[in-house]
Each structure stands twice: as structure tokens, then as C-alpha cells.
Amino acid sequence: ATVDRAYVFASPGFDRNLSYVALTRHRHQLALYVDRKTFASGEQLRRVFAREPRKDLVRDYRLADAADLTSEPTPAEQPLGDGWIPSVDPVSRELTPERLDRLQLALGQLDQWDEISSRAKDVAQARHRLSYHGSLPDLDGEIRKLEQTPRHFDLDLGRVYRQPDTARAMFDQHASDHGAAEAYRRLREAPEAFGRLHGRQVLTLPTRARTEALGAARRLGSDGVDRHRQLARLREVRDKADRYRVDGLDLSHQRDALARDRSRLVDKLRAQAAGLDLAQLEGRLPARHLKTLRDLQRLDELHLQPL
């Protein structure tokens, strides 16, 4: 579990695994309580917290250990209150070429993880800025609805043309050749291209029936043009949303291939840099990597300051 504040009471039963869990449960504050009669010094406490876990399974023990059962207790078997301090391997301060390579690899992996996370955040923000915030299935449904010819289209054509069936066939042919948006635009601007309209011209003036037919054609064409503009916009949004979704999944897979959580890479880096003097890394690492190590060192010092 993770909590805002953790309170830990140190005991002789702690080891490296138990102390790591106990000291990393908090978000904001950690309080560690120590019995001075059990732990005579901070160094003793540190070594207890750093020792290897005890053997828990039968297979962890060698058969040769049985011969030692009757011998005197070893220091590891004596009670901690008697002043025994468990042995622990000292942290190496030597910067070998192999260790420098491992340190550079850990720093590079952390940089790569951060870069991928930044790109994934940009993709998520771009997806959020899309003008359509519904789900993709809802978007697809709205697009399919706009792609369909309105039910009242044929009825409206009957108000415009003397032979609406012929006009519909010519309209469909024009839409097939030039696109539906262009067909609606032509219906609005030159309706006579699809057939004879109701009414006629008398001395260059349209009759009432022709005026009504022209008005119906303009309204029908304008509605179609507006609908296809909206359709084009939603198609663009859908294409972008699909692209963002694919990009986001790809970035997520790349990040998980490095580590499922950034803290794992930080722990790996901390292990490689443990005990090193950052001064000896000057000139061997880029400035940004040195800054990363200094920040990590300051964070560890701040985290361990109450101890």
C-alpha cells in the first residue's frame, strides 16, 4: 500500500528487502522510530537494513550445514542486542570502464524513457484538443449518418423538378463523377443542369412556381453543402484520432519495453552510481547526465536526512 505518511518501527528482524518496502510506502513524509537499547548506533541500524535476506527455504541450506549444528553459535546466530553487527559488503567507489559503461547505459535508458513519456504526453494533449471529444464509435456513427442521403431528399426534388426521378439519376451520376459535395453545389447554383424545373419564364420574369422551385433547389443544395463540410471535418477528426491512438499505443509499448515504471530505471541508475564520487565523472559524462546524478544524490540525501 502507498500512504501519505508512514511510521516505521525498526526491529532486529529487518533486512534489505523488508527495509526497502517499509521505507518506500510514503508519498510525503516518513517517520522512523528506533530503540536505542536494540541499536547502539546509526551504523548498526544501517547495516541491519542493508543485510541480505535470511534463508527461508530448505533448498537454501547446504547439507554440509548439518555438521555445524552442534558447534558454537556463529555471530549471525547471536542476538542483536549483544552488540553484533551483521556484515555487509561495502559499496565500491572504484570507477572501472565496465562500471562507467553500465552507468552510461542506465542514464541513456532513463533519458529515452523520459523522451518517450514526453512524446506520449504531447500525443494525449493533441487528442484532447480535437474538436470532437466523444468516443470513436459515436464519431463513426455520426459520420455514417451524414454520409446517408436525407430521407426528405427525393420529396424536395419533387418540389424542384417536373421529373424528379430523372433529376435524381442525373444528380447521382454527377455525385459519382465529381463527388457529392460538388453535386450539391451544382444543385444550389445551377439546378437546371439536372432537369426542367417547375414553372417557366414569362417576359424574363419567373412565375411563382418557378420561383418556389429555385428557392427549394437553393435550400436543398445549401443543406447538402453544409452537411458535407461537416462530414469532411469529422472525417479529418476521425483520421487524427486514429493516428493519435496508434501513436499513443506505439509509444506506450516502447516505454514498457524499457520499464513499466520510471522508478525501476531510477533504482537501476542509483545502484550503478552508489558510492561514486561525481567529481571523477567530470569530462566523462555529458553535463545533463551529471545534473541527473547530482539531482538524484540530493534527493537521496533529503530522503535519508531524518535518519
Side-chain angles (χ1 to χ4, degrees), residues 54-175:
R54 297 178 179 177
K55 300 174 183 179
D56 293 328
L57 302 177
V58 173
R59 68 183 183 186
D60 293 332
Y61 294 82
R62 295 177 302 153
L63 295 178
D65 292 341
D68 300 330
L69 294 179
T70 58
S71 61
E72 291 297 325
T74 63
E77 298 170 337
Q78 296 179 2
L80 189 62
D82 294 340
W84 168 74
I85 300 178
S87 62
V88 61
D89 296 334
V91 178
S92 175
R93 297 182 179 273
E94 182 180 1
L95 181 62
T96 62
E98 294 78 10
R99 187 174 187 183
L100 179 61
D101 291 340
R102 294 194 300 268
L103 183 62
Q104 290 174 330
L105 177 60
L107 286 165
Q109 289 178 339
L110 185 61
D111 284 347
Q112 189 177 1
W113 200 96
D114 289 339
E115 180 184 357
I116 294 175
S117 297
S118 178
R119 289 164 55 193
K121 182 179 179 180
D122 293 340
V123 169
Q125 290 177 347
R127 171 65 180 89
H128 182 71
R129 287 194 297 267
L130 290 177
S131 56
Y132 189 88
H133 297 292
S135 63
L136 287 181
D138 293 339
L139 180 58
D140 289 335
E142 189 169 349
I143 289 176
R144 287 193 298 268
K145 183 178 179 181
L146 290 173
E147 289 174 341
Q148 297 174 356
T149 304
R151 296 179 180 179
H152 59 80
F153 182 74
D154 290 331
L155 179 61
D156 290 339
L157 283 181
R159 297 171 180 170
V160 178
Y161 296 100
R162 296 183 180 184
Q163 297 178 341
D165 293 340
T166 302
R168 174 61 188 269
M170 296 180 65
F171 177 88
D172 290 342
Q173 183 62 42
H174 193 82

Side-chain angles (χ1 to χ4, degrees), residues 19-288:
S19 61
Y20 177 82
V21 173
L23 300 180
T24 57
R25 297 305 90 203
H26 62 287
R27 294 189 184 94
H28 306 300
Q29 185 178 9
L30 167 70
L32 178 64
Y33 297 89
V34 180
D35 180 9
R36 296 185 182 275
K37 294 183 179 179
T38 303
F39 297 94
S41 65
E43 178 65 17
Q44 184 180 2
L45 175 67
R46 186 191 69 81
R47 293 197 177 191
V48 169
F49 275 22
R51 66 181 173 180
E52 292 291 340
R54 297 178 179 177
K55 300 174 183 179
D56 293 328
L57 302 177
V58 173
R59 68 183 183 186
D60 293 332
Y61 294 82
R62 295 177 302 153
L63 295 178
D65 292 341
D68 300 330
L69 294 179
T70 58
S71 61
E72 291 297 325
T74 63
E77 298 170 337
Q78 296 179 2
L80 189 62
D82 294 340
W84 168 74
I85 300 178
S87 62
V88 61
D89 296 334
V91 178
S92 175
R93 297 182 179 273
E94 182 180 1
L95 181 62
T96 62
E98 294 78 10
R99 187 174 187 183
L100 179 61
D101 291 340
R102 294 194 300 268
L103 183 62
Q104 290 174 330
L105 177 60
L107 286 165
Q109 289 178 339
L110 185 61
D111 284 347
Q112 189 177 1
W113 200 96
D114 289 339
E115 180 184 357
I116 294 175
S117 297
S118 178
R119 289 164 55 193
K121 182 179 179 180
D122 293 340
V123 169
Q125 290 177 347
R127 171 65 180 89
H128 182 71
R129 287 194 297 267
L130 290 177
S131 56
Y132 189 88
H133 297 292
S135 63
L136 287 181
D138 293 339
L139 180 58
D140 289 335
E142 189 169 349
I143 289 176
R144 287 193 298 268
K145 183 178 179 181
L146 290 173
E147 289 174 341
Q148 297 174 356
T149 304
R151 296 179 180 179
H152 59 80
F153 182 74
D154 290 331
L155 179 61
D156 290 339
L157 283 181
R159 297 171 180 170
V160 178
Y161 296 100
R162 296 183 180 184
Q163 297 178 341
D165 293 340
T166 302
R168 174 61 188 269
M170 296 180 65
F171 177 88
D172 290 342
Q173 183 62 42
H174 193 82
S176 178
D177 296 339
H178 305 283
E182 179 60 29
Y184 278 108
R185 189 176 295 106
R186 189 169 183 81
L187 176 62
R188 180 184 63 184
E189 298 172 359
E192 295 89 346
F194 299 132
R196 296 181 61 187
L197 278 63
H198 289 299
R200 56 193 177 90
Q201 295 285 126
V202 178
L203 299 177
T204 69
L205 296 176
T207 62
R208 180 177 179 180
R210 189 173 183 85
T211 300
E212 292 178 352
L214 289 171
R218 283 193 293 269
R219 289 192 299 272
L220 189 59
S222 297
D223 290 344
V225 169
D226 293 341
R227 187 169 65 255
H228 276 78
R229 286 175 179 170
Q230 184 181 4
L231 179 61
R233 182 183 64 81
L234 292 182
R235 284 173 175 170
E236 182 181 1
V237 170
R238 181 183 61 184
D239 293 342
K240 288 183 178 180
D242 285 337
R243 186 165 62 252
Y244 292 150
R245 180 179 60 84
V246 172
D247 291 346
L249 289 175
D250 182 57
L251 291 171
S252 178
H253 291 158
Q254 293 181 32
R255 185 172 56 188
D256 290 346
L258 290 172
R260 300 299 296 270
D261 189 84
R262 188 179 189 273
S263 61
R264 298 187 180 184
L265 294 177
V266 174
D267 290 340
K268 181 179 179 180
L269 176 61
R270 181 181 283 110
Q272 296 299 332
L276 290 179
D277 183 5
L278 299 186
Q280 61 184 325
L281 297 174
E282 293 285 349
R284 299 188 178 187
L285 295 178
R288 57 189 177 86

Side-chain angles (χ1 to χ4, degrees), residues 23 299-307:
L23 300 180
L299 180 63
D300 290 344
E301 291 174 353
L302 179 64
H303 182 75
L304 297 176
Q305 186 174 1
L307 300 180

